Amino acid sequence: MNDIGSKVRSLMKEMEPVFIEDFKYLHQHPEKSFEEFETTAFIKKRLTSLGITIMDHGMKTGVVGLLKGATDGPCIALRADIDGLPVEEMSSCSFPSQNKGYMHACGHDTHASSLLAAARILAACKEDLQGSVKFLFQPAEEVNFGAKEMMKHKVLENPKVDALFGLHNSPEIPIGTIAVKNGPLMAAVNRINITITGSGGHGGVPQRNIDPIVCAASIILSTQTIVSRNLSPFAPCVVSICNVRAGEGTTNNVTPNEVTMYGTVRAFQTEDIDLIEKRLGSIIQYTCEAFGCKGNLEFIRELDVTGSKELYDIALKAVKETGAQPVDPTPSTGGEDFSVYQKGNVPCFFYWLGTRNEKQDCVYSWHSPKFKADPHCIMIGGGVYTMSVFKAIEKFKAEN
Ligand code: NI
């Protein structure tokens, strides 16, 4: 166990060309959420060839693999998401997507190949492993349902998982760095659906109608005061209305009956989310009353905050041991369904894997058609997953 760090570091280097081959395949074959059939088959084949047992949890896509070490001991799980996005690739990558209209625009291919890299390293270090490792290749992160599906199929049981680590690439931090945050890293995600009902009619005779569009416009502006006037300037929160629908086609002279609006609310504290929900409700209710409309708000709490203080010390040690540079990042108001696992009783930790490399054009944000990750991140991601396992087992063994 003593020199496991240097053994892992040399395997990372030695195996890097194979890691890149896995990454190339995954990058070229992005698939839709919950339809990751080829990706699932590819991962199963790779894990099987490494002597890793495929566990059948009855899921349509996604893979759970189990590697038993030399002795019994704690079971550490590692999670990567595997789905692509309906984005047409426009990046400068030399091995672009072969599935037209789909792309790994959020870099989940870097996660899946980092986890495959960890599987390769850990399989080679089986004799040093005093416990077991569960590999969770999760479908459908992009639609916020994949982790829920995994939990429904009880992937953290049989054997019971003692700790879980996950990661997401980040084009905001340079290649060679890993974000290790002692606390919340990504925001809670809430969906808002708003309906404003008036009474439509001739657009040229407004006095006969109750116009839901003017009412909706007033609501849109007022909602912006929640962040600027009701919440502390030190509480990072977002209220965005991103979709407004009213009227038919290009019609310009009919006041519609109804306006629907969809939006997103992001925050890090439950009390802030409660306050936003309450203020949104009041703004909609009283603005509608003033305009003679009827309003309805659906506030759906989709995901909790990702990131915690649990396992921070282990995570920091794991990163240092791989030779990567740990950085303390600014949290993101993006969301992650890794938070679903955090709600269970298993301690969890979530990293960001630096992928930014200006020389290679790896600078574009998640979901951009130009998104590109420096493939060198796979080796680092694989190393960090691997050392998280060894450091966690070491800690649990010392505690027992
Ligand atoms: Ni993502």
Side-chain angles (χ1 to χ4, degrees):
M1 191 75 190
N2 269 348
D3 215 16
I4 191 66
S6 67
K7 185 171 176 181
V8 169
R9 283 193 300 278
S10 72
L11 285 168
M12 284 163 66
K13 273 202 195 105
E14 192 184 301
M15 292 179 164
E16 188 174 17
V18 197
F19 302 160
I20 306 280
E21 284 310 306
D22 288 340
F23 172 61
K24 279 186 180 166
Y25 175 87
L26 291 165
H27 186 79
Q28 287 178 320
H29 300 87
E31 294 176 285
K32 194 176 173 179
S33 302
F34 284 129
E35 292 179 21
E36 309 92 338
F37 297 109
E38 282 182 47
T39 309
T40 297
F42 176 81
I43 293 166
K44 278 187 181 171
K45 210 168 131 189
R46 287 289 175 278
L47 293 183
T48 306
S49 76
L50 295 167
I52 292 170
T53 310
I54 307 295
M55 310 292 282
D56 185 8
H57 284 267
M59 293 184 55
K60 214 168 58 151
T61 56
V63 184
V64 179
L66 183 70
L67 176 68
K68 284 192 175 164
T71 63
D72 283 346
C75 177
I76 312 301
L78 304 171
R79 174 271 202 177
D81 45 15
I82 62 171
D83 52 331
L85 278 165
V87 172
E88 183 77 42
E89 181 157 9
M90 290 164 67
S91 81
S92 58
C93 179
S94 59
F95 43 92
S97 166
Q98 291 177 4
N99 293 350
K100 206 173 158 38
Y102 275 85
M103 177 190 175
H104 270 296
C106 199
H108 295 185
D109 50 350
T110 64
H111 313 159
S113 42
S114 291
L115 190 49
L116 277 178
R120 290 180 187 280
I121 301 170
L122 283 158
C125 296
K126 210 176 145 178
E127 292 311 310
D128 304 292
L129 198 58
Q130 298 181 322
S132 57
V133 185
K134 218 180 236 193
F135 300 91
L136 307 178
F137 290 88
Q138 180 208 303
E141 194 280 331
E142 293 295 351
V143 293
N144 293 343
F145 282 109
K148 286 173 188 161
E149 188 70 10
M150 297 281 273
M151 288 300 270
K152 206 170 90 190
H153 288 84
K154 303 192 186 325
V155 299
L156 300 185
E157 289 166 36
N158 290 323
K160 198 191 158 302
V161 166
D162 295 293
L164 168 64
F165 295 86
L167 59 76
H168 200 292
N169 71 84
S170 174
E172 306 299 325
I173 55 170
I175 185 78
T177 64
I178 303 266
V180 191
K181 190 81 195 168
N182 191 6
L185 182 66
M186 300 181 81
V189 177
N190 312 275
R191 182 187 172 93
I192 49 175
N193 301 335
I194 302 168
T195 313
I196 311 298
T197 312
S199 173
H202 199 299
V205 192
Q207 71 275 24
R208 293 194 175 276
N209 313 328
I210 298 172
D211 188 349
I213 290 184
V214 177
C215 178
S218 181
I219 288 170
I220 293 170
L221 291 177
S222 300
T223 54
Q224 293 312 303
T225 64
I226 300 174
V227 173
S228 70
R229 286 296 169 267
N230 303 133
L231 288 156
S232 160
F234 296 100
C237 293
V238 176
V239 177
S240 289
I241 308 264
C242 301
N243 187 323
V244 181
R245 282 156 195 264
E248 296 296 327
T250 56
T251 307
N252 77 322
N253 58 359
V254 178
T255 295
N257 274 318
E258 199 176 88
V259 178
T260 52
M261 303 193 277
Y262 305 114
T264 189
V265 169
R266 308 289 169 103
F268 288 86
Q269 303 291 338
T270 309
E271 53 267 38
D272 293 338
I273 301 168
D274 293 343
L275 182 104
I276 294 170
E277 182 176 3
K278 200 171 145 224
R279 289 290 301 128
L280 272 172
S282 301
I283 288 169
I284 292 166
Q285 184 190 340
Y286 295 112
T287 310
C288 281
E289 218 172 285
F291 283 84
C293 293
K294 282 203 173 71
N296 186 58
L297 166 69
E298 256 186 294
F299 194 98
I300 303 157
R301 300 187 187 219
E302 289 187 326
L303 295 175
D304 282 342
V305 164
T306 290
S308 70
K309 290 175 189 277
E310 266 181 323
L311 304 177
Y312 170 76
D313 295 344
I314 293 176
L316 193 61
K317 279 184 200 159
V319 169
K320 286 180 179 164
E321 197 84 17
T322 59
Q325 189 199 333
V327 292
D328 180 21
T330 306
S332 163
T333 42
E336 224 322 314
D337 81 356
F338 187 79
S339 60
V340 172
Y341 303 107
Q342 274 182 216
K343 273 171 126 178
N345 292 322
V346 176
C348 296
F349 195 86
F350 198 71
Y351 301 98
W352 278 341
L353 173 64
T355 56
R356 188 178 188 84
N357 184 342
E358 266 123 37
K359 282 185 202 134
Q360 288 186 23
D361 197 33
C362 306
V363 296
Y364 300 98
S365 67
W366 297 323
H367 298 202
S368 159
K370 292 185 169 181
F371 176 87
K372 192 181 169 197
D374 181 343
H376 189 54
C377 74
I378 314 298
M379 176 193 103
I380 301 165
V384 168
Y385 271 134
T386 304
M387 282 318 301
S388 302
V389 170
F390 283 112
K391 288 292 164 195
I393 290 179
E394 192 182 289
K395 179 188 153 85
F396 292 139
K397 287 247 166 192
E399 280 171 2
N400 285 329

